[in-house]
Amino acid sequence: MLANHLSDRIESGELPENRPPPSKCRLAYEYEVSIGTVRHAIRILRDRGLIIPVPGKGFQVRTRQKFGANG
């Protein structure tokens, strides 16, 4: 599942905290999936508290200290 793979990348530090994850288009290309699949994965990551919405900018990876509180 794409969300699990991205979650692993976030938790390992491969996707740095306080930075946006790769764009939806880039993720779709990288994983050879549809934009809809990427959107679904982003929703799951948001629900798990691994990424947070940033008004007018999209999402960013949440800081590690906050992972335990929401995950």
Side-chain angles (χ1 to χ4, degrees), residues 18-71:
N18 296 319
R19 301 280 311 258
S23 71
K24 291 175 189 151
C25 290
R26 177 159 176 93
L27 290 171
Y29 176 79
E30 182 179 339
Y31 289 97
E32 299 180 349
V33 297
S34 71
I35 293 291
T37 298
V38 174
R39 285 185 184 129
H40 182 69
I42 295 293
R43 271 192 302 271
I44 291 170
L45 295 175
R46 184 194 62 216
D47 292 347
R48 290 181 184 173
L50 295 175
I51 62 172
I52 57 172
V54 178
K57 296 194 177 195
F59 290 92
Q60 75 178 26
V61 176
R62 196 167 234 188
T63 59
R64 291 196 197 294
Q65 301 95 323
K66 297 180 182 176
F67 285 173
N70 293 315

